[in-house]
Short mmCIF file of all heavy atoms in Angstrom, two decimals:
data_model
loop_
_atom_site.label_atom_id
_atom_site.label_comp_id
_atom_site.label_asym_id
_atom_site.label_seq_id
_atom_site.Cartn_x
_atom_site.Cartn_y
_atom_site.Cartn_z
N THR A 1 -1.85 1.99 14.16
CA THR A 1 -2.95 0.98 13.80
C THR A 1 -3.92 1.54 12.85
O THR A 1 -4.34 0.82 11.90
CB THR A 1 -3.63 0.58 15.13
OG1 THR A 1 -2.66 0.03 16.04
CG2 THR A 1 -4.72 -0.48 14.89
N TYR A 2 -4.31 2.79 13.02
CA TYR A 2 -5.28 3.37 12.11
C TYR A 2 -4.73 3.58 10.74
O TYR A 2 -5.42 3.28 9.74
CB TYR A 2 -5.67 4.70 12.71
CG TYR A 2 -6.67 5.47 11.87
CD1 TYR A 2 -8.01 5.00 11.78
CD2 TYR A 2 -6.37 6.68 11.19
CE1 TYR A 2 -8.94 5.67 10.97
CE2 TYR A 2 -7.29 7.32 10.40
CZ TYR A 2 -8.57 6.85 10.33
OH TYR A 2 -9.47 7.47 9.56
N MET A 3 -3.48 4.03 10.62
CA MET A 3 -2.87 4.24 9.33
C MET A 3 -2.67 2.90 8.59
O MET A 3 -2.92 2.81 7.35
CB MET A 3 -1.47 4.93 9.45
CG MET A 3 -1.55 6.37 9.79
SD MET A 3 -1.97 7.39 8.38
CE MET A 3 -0.37 7.38 7.49
N ARG A 4 -2.30 1.86 9.33
CA ARG A 4 -2.09 0.57 8.69
C ARG A 4 -3.40 0.11 8.05
O ARG A 4 -3.48 -0.35 6.89
CB ARG A 4 -1.56 -0.45 9.64
CG ARG A 4 -1.41 -1.86 9.07
CD ARG A 4 -0.79 -2.84 10.01
NE ARG A 4 0.63 -2.57 10.15
CZ ARG A 4 1.21 -2.10 11.24
NH1 ARG A 4 0.51 -1.74 12.28
NH2 ARG A 4 2.51 -1.87 11.33
N SER A 5 -4.48 0.17 8.82
CA SER A 5 -5.77 -0.28 8.29
C SER A 5 -6.22 0.56 7.08
O SER A 5 -6.68 0.02 6.12
CB SER A 5 -6.80 -0.12 9.45
OG SER A 5 -8.11 -0.48 8.94
N ALA A 6 -6.06 1.89 7.16
CA ALA A 6 -6.51 2.73 6.06
C ALA A 6 -5.71 2.50 4.80
O ALA A 6 -6.26 2.52 3.70
CB ALA A 6 -6.40 4.16 6.55
N LEU A 7 -4.40 2.35 4.93
CA LEU A 7 -3.55 2.21 3.74
C LEU A 7 -3.69 0.84 3.14
O LEU A 7 -3.64 0.68 1.92
CB LEU A 7 -2.09 2.49 4.15
CG LEU A 7 -1.80 3.94 4.54
CD1 LEU A 7 -0.31 4.10 4.89
CD2 LEU A 7 -2.18 4.93 3.47
N TYR A 8 -3.90 -0.20 3.94
CA TYR A 8 -4.16 -1.54 3.42
C TYR A 8 -5.51 -1.53 2.64
O TYR A 8 -5.68 -2.19 1.63
CB TYR A 8 -4.15 -2.58 4.42
CG TYR A 8 -2.79 -3.04 4.82
CD1 TYR A 8 -2.43 -3.29 6.17
CD2 TYR A 8 -1.83 -3.25 3.86
CE1 TYR A 8 -1.20 -3.71 6.52
CE2 TYR A 8 -0.53 -3.70 4.25
CZ TYR A 8 -0.19 -3.95 5.57
OH TYR A 8 1.02 -4.32 5.89
N LYS A 9 -6.44 -0.72 3.15
CA LYS A 9 -7.72 -0.58 2.40
C LYS A 9 -7.47 0.02 1.07
O LYS A 9 -8.12 -0.40 0.11
CB LYS A 9 -8.67 0.24 3.27
CG LYS A 9 -10.10 0.38 2.70
CD LYS A 9 -11.02 1.20 3.61
CE LYS A 9 -12.41 1.31 3.04
NZ LYS A 9 -13.28 2.06 3.96
N LEU A 10 -6.67 1.11 1.01
CA LEU A 10 -6.36 1.67 -0.32
C LEU A 10 -5.71 0.67 -1.20
O LEU A 10 -5.92 0.60 -2.43
CB LEU A 10 -5.43 2.89 -0.11
CG LEU A 10 -6.03 4.20 0.33
CD1 LEU A 10 -4.90 5.23 0.54
CD2 LEU A 10 -7.08 4.67 -0.57
N GLN A 11 -4.78 -0.19 -0.67
CA GLN A 11 -4.11 -1.15 -1.52
C GLN A 11 -5.14 -2.16 -2.06
O GLN A 11 -4.98 -2.58 -3.22
CB GLN A 11 -3.06 -1.92 -0.64
CG GLN A 11 -2.24 -2.88 -1.45
CD GLN A 11 -1.27 -3.69 -0.61
OE1 GLN A 11 -1.55 -3.93 0.59
NE2 GLN A 11 -0.17 -4.11 -1.19
N ARG A 12 -6.09 -2.59 -1.27
CA ARG A 12 -7.08 -3.57 -1.80
C ARG A 12 -7.94 -2.88 -2.91
O ARG A 12 -8.43 -3.59 -3.78
CB ARG A 12 -7.93 -4.00 -0.63
CG ARG A 12 -7.25 -4.95 0.38
CD ARG A 12 -8.22 -5.62 1.31
NE ARG A 12 -8.92 -4.63 2.13
CZ ARG A 12 -8.48 -4.25 3.32
NH1 ARG A 12 -7.34 -4.67 3.79
NH2 ARG A 12 -9.22 -3.41 4.07
N LYS A 13 -8.06 -1.58 -2.84
CA LYS A 13 -8.89 -0.91 -3.74
C LYS A 13 -8.22 -0.54 -5.06
O LYS A 13 -8.85 -0.56 -6.10
CB LYS A 13 -9.41 0.39 -3.07
CG LYS A 13 -10.45 1.16 -3.86
CD LYS A 13 -10.97 2.35 -2.98
CE LYS A 13 -12.09 3.15 -3.68
NZ LYS A 13 -12.55 4.27 -2.89
N TYR A 14 -6.92 -0.24 -5.01
CA TYR A 14 -6.24 0.25 -6.19
C TYR A 14 -5.07 -0.66 -6.53
O TYR A 14 -4.13 -0.90 -5.79
CB TYR A 14 -5.72 1.63 -5.94
CG TYR A 14 -6.85 2.63 -5.70
CD1 TYR A 14 -6.99 3.21 -4.46
CD2 TYR A 14 -7.71 3.00 -6.74
CE1 TYR A 14 -8.07 4.10 -4.20
CE2 TYR A 14 -8.78 3.86 -6.43
CZ TYR A 14 -8.91 4.44 -5.21
OH TYR A 14 -9.92 5.30 -4.94
N SER A 15 -5.03 -1.19 -7.77
CA SER A 15 -4.03 -2.15 -8.25
C SER A 15 -2.68 -1.48 -8.32
O SER A 15 -1.66 -2.15 -8.39
CB SER A 15 -4.46 -2.71 -9.59
OG SER A 15 -4.61 -1.65 -10.54
N LEU A 16 -2.68 -0.17 -8.41
CA LEU A 16 -1.42 0.56 -8.55
C LEU A 16 -0.53 0.42 -7.34
O LEU A 16 0.72 0.58 -7.32
CB LEU A 16 -1.74 2.08 -8.80
CG LEU A 16 -0.62 2.99 -9.35
CD1 LEU A 16 -0.04 2.43 -10.66
CD2 LEU A 16 -1.15 4.43 -9.47
N ILE A 17 -1.10 0.15 -6.13
CA ILE A 17 -0.35 0.03 -4.87
C ILE A 17 0.10 -1.40 -4.74
O ILE A 17 -0.61 -2.32 -4.48
CB ILE A 17 -1.22 0.44 -3.71
CG1 ILE A 17 -1.72 1.86 -3.83
CG2 ILE A 17 -0.39 0.31 -2.42
CD1 ILE A 17 -2.67 2.32 -2.74
N GLY A 18 1.46 -1.57 -4.93
CA GLY A 18 1.99 -2.90 -4.81
C GLY A 18 2.31 -3.32 -3.44
O GLY A 18 2.21 -4.47 -3.05
N ASP A 19 2.77 -2.34 -2.63
CA ASP A 19 3.19 -2.66 -1.27
C ASP A 19 2.91 -1.50 -0.32
O ASP A 19 2.99 -0.35 -0.74
CB ASP A 19 4.71 -3.02 -1.25
CG ASP A 19 5.11 -3.67 0.07
OD1 ASP A 19 4.34 -4.46 0.61
OD2 ASP A 19 6.25 -3.43 0.53
N VAL A 20 2.59 -1.86 0.91
CA VAL A 20 2.36 -0.89 2.00
C VAL A 20 3.33 -1.26 3.12
O VAL A 20 3.36 -2.41 3.53
CB VAL A 20 0.94 -0.90 2.53
CG1 VAL A 20 0.81 -0.01 3.76
CG2 VAL A 20 -0.09 -0.57 1.46
N ARG A 21 4.14 -0.26 3.56
CA ARG A 21 5.13 -0.51 4.58
C ARG A 21 5.08 0.60 5.61
O ARG A 21 4.93 1.78 5.19
CB ARG A 21 6.51 -0.60 4.04
CG ARG A 21 6.77 -1.64 3.01
CD ARG A 21 8.23 -1.71 2.57
NE ARG A 21 8.71 -0.56 1.83
CZ ARG A 21 8.62 -0.38 0.54
NH1 ARG A 21 7.99 -1.36 -0.23
NH2 ARG A 21 9.08 0.66 -0.07
N GLY A 22 5.20 0.28 6.87
CA GLY A 22 5.23 1.33 7.84
C GLY A 22 5.32 0.94 9.25
O GLY A 22 5.16 -0.21 9.62
N VAL A 23 5.63 1.93 10.10
CA VAL A 23 5.65 1.75 11.55
C VAL A 23 5.39 3.16 12.13
O VAL A 23 5.86 4.16 11.52
CB VAL A 23 7.04 1.22 12.04
CG1 VAL A 23 8.17 2.17 11.65
CG2 VAL A 23 7.03 0.98 13.51
N GLY A 24 4.71 3.25 13.21
CA GLY A 24 4.43 4.57 13.81
C GLY A 24 3.78 5.47 12.86
O GLY A 24 2.70 5.15 12.26
N LEU A 25 4.33 6.62 12.64
CA LEU A 25 3.84 7.57 11.63
C LEU A 25 4.88 7.75 10.52
O LEU A 25 5.21 8.89 10.11
CB LEU A 25 3.43 8.89 12.29
CG LEU A 25 2.10 8.87 13.01
CD1 LEU A 25 1.80 10.22 13.68
CD2 LEU A 25 0.94 8.49 12.08
N LEU A 26 5.42 6.64 10.01
CA LEU A 26 6.35 6.62 8.94
C LEU A 26 5.87 5.50 7.99
O LEU A 26 5.98 4.30 8.28
CB LEU A 26 7.75 6.33 9.41
CG LEU A 26 8.86 6.21 8.34
CD1 LEU A 26 9.08 7.50 7.67
CD2 LEU A 26 10.15 5.65 8.97
N TRP A 27 5.34 5.88 6.83
CA TRP A 27 4.71 4.96 5.92
C TRP A 27 5.12 5.20 4.46
O TRP A 27 5.51 6.27 4.07
CB TRP A 27 3.16 5.09 6.02
CG TRP A 27 2.71 4.55 7.33
CD1 TRP A 27 2.61 5.24 8.50
CD2 TRP A 27 2.30 3.22 7.61
NE1 TRP A 27 2.16 4.42 9.55
CE2 TRP A 27 2.01 3.17 8.97
CE3 TRP A 27 2.25 2.05 6.86
CZ2 TRP A 27 1.59 1.97 9.65
CZ3 TRP A 27 1.79 0.88 7.48
CH2 TRP A 27 1.49 0.86 8.85
N ALA A 28 5.01 4.08 3.68
CA ALA A 28 5.35 4.13 2.28
C ALA A 28 4.34 3.34 1.49
O ALA A 28 3.89 2.26 1.93
CB ALA A 28 6.77 3.55 2.08
N LEU A 29 3.91 3.91 0.38
CA LEU A 29 3.13 3.17 -0.65
C LEU A 29 4.02 3.00 -1.89
O LEU A 29 4.44 4.00 -2.51
CB LEU A 29 1.88 3.98 -1.02
CG LEU A 29 0.90 4.30 0.12
CD1 LEU A 29 -0.28 5.10 -0.41
CD2 LEU A 29 0.39 3.06 0.78
N GLU A 30 4.36 1.77 -2.23
CA GLU A 30 5.13 1.52 -3.43
C GLU A 30 4.24 1.20 -4.59
O GLU A 30 3.46 0.23 -4.56
CB GLU A 30 6.09 0.41 -3.19
CG GLU A 30 7.02 0.18 -4.39
CD GLU A 30 8.40 -0.37 -4.06
OE1 GLU A 30 8.73 -0.45 -2.83
OE2 GLU A 30 9.19 -0.67 -5.01
N LEU A 31 4.35 2.04 -5.66
CA LEU A 31 3.42 1.90 -6.80
C LEU A 31 4.05 1.07 -7.89
O LEU A 31 5.23 1.24 -8.23
CB LEU A 31 3.09 3.33 -7.31
CG LEU A 31 2.51 4.31 -6.22
CD1 LEU A 31 2.00 5.56 -6.94
CD2 LEU A 31 1.50 3.69 -5.32
N VAL A 32 3.25 0.23 -8.49
CA VAL A 32 3.72 -0.69 -9.55
C VAL A 32 2.68 -0.68 -10.66
O VAL A 32 1.46 -0.52 -10.43
CB VAL A 32 3.98 -2.09 -9.03
CG1 VAL A 32 5.08 -2.11 -8.02
CG2 VAL A 32 2.70 -2.65 -8.41
N THR A 33 3.17 -0.92 -11.89
CA THR A 33 2.23 -1.04 -12.97
C THR A 33 1.61 -2.42 -13.04
O THR A 33 0.55 -2.65 -13.65
CB THR A 33 2.89 -0.74 -14.34
OG1 THR A 33 4.01 -1.65 -14.47
CG2 THR A 33 3.45 0.70 -14.37
N ASP A 34 2.31 -3.40 -12.42
CA ASP A 34 1.81 -4.77 -12.40
C ASP A 34 2.29 -5.42 -11.08
O ASP A 34 3.53 -5.41 -10.80
CB ASP A 34 2.39 -5.61 -13.60
CG ASP A 34 1.81 -6.93 -13.68
OD1 ASP A 34 2.29 -7.80 -12.88
OD2 ASP A 34 0.99 -7.27 -14.57
N ARG A 35 1.39 -5.97 -10.35
CA ARG A 35 1.76 -6.53 -9.07
C ARG A 35 2.58 -7.83 -9.14
O ARG A 35 3.32 -8.21 -8.25
CB ARG A 35 0.51 -6.79 -8.22
CG ARG A 35 -0.10 -5.56 -7.67
CD ARG A 35 -1.34 -5.80 -6.82
NE ARG A 35 -1.89 -4.60 -6.25
CZ ARG A 35 -2.98 -4.58 -5.50
NH1 ARG A 35 -3.68 -5.73 -5.25
NH2 ARG A 35 -3.48 -3.45 -5.00
N THR A 36 2.51 -8.47 -10.26
CA THR A 36 3.31 -9.71 -10.48
C THR A 36 4.72 -9.35 -10.86
O THR A 36 5.67 -9.91 -10.30
CB THR A 36 2.66 -10.60 -11.65
OG1 THR A 36 1.27 -10.90 -11.26
CG2 THR A 36 3.46 -11.83 -11.81
N THR A 37 4.87 -8.51 -11.86
CA THR A 37 6.24 -8.16 -12.33
C THR A 37 6.89 -7.09 -11.39
O THR A 37 8.11 -6.91 -11.38
CB THR A 37 6.25 -7.62 -13.76
OG1 THR A 37 5.49 -6.38 -13.76
CG2 THR A 37 5.64 -8.59 -14.68
N LYS A 38 6.02 -6.37 -10.68
CA LYS A 38 6.49 -5.29 -9.79
C LYS A 38 7.24 -4.14 -10.46
O LYS A 38 8.10 -3.46 -9.95
CB LYS A 38 7.39 -5.83 -8.64
CG LYS A 38 6.66 -6.81 -7.76
CD LYS A 38 7.59 -7.35 -6.70
CE LYS A 38 6.82 -8.41 -5.80
NZ LYS A 38 7.71 -8.97 -4.81
N GLU A 39 6.89 -3.96 -11.74
CA GLU A 39 7.54 -2.86 -12.55
C GLU A 39 7.08 -1.54 -11.88
O GLU A 39 5.93 -1.32 -11.57
CB GLU A 39 7.05 -2.90 -13.98
CG GLU A 39 7.68 -1.83 -14.86
CD GLU A 39 7.28 -1.89 -16.29
OE1 GLU A 39 6.61 -2.92 -16.66
OE2 GLU A 39 7.51 -0.91 -17.03
#
């Protein structure tokens, strides 16, 4: 719960983070140059 909240906060702050995925203590930040094209 804590990691999900903290990582979503980073996503809202930085446009480079296109997606946040995770469960338990296994998480991923997928980085994109553009959130629309998902490059």
Side-chain angles (χ1 to χ4, degrees):
T1 302
Y2 180 68
M3 285 285 284
R4 178 175 286 109
S5 175
L7 294 178
Y8 279 139
K9 184 177 180 180
L10 283 179
Q11 184 185 29
R12 290 191 297 271
K13 188 175 181 181
Y14 299 110
S15 60
L16 197 57
I17 303 176
D19 194 36
V20 174
R21 301 186 292 273
V23 61
L25 283 176
L26 176 67
W27 289 87
L29 301 180
E30 182 148 354
L31 308 190
V32 295
T33 57
D34 184 286
R35 287 182 176 175
T36 302
T37 65
K38 299 180 181 178
E39 182 180 349

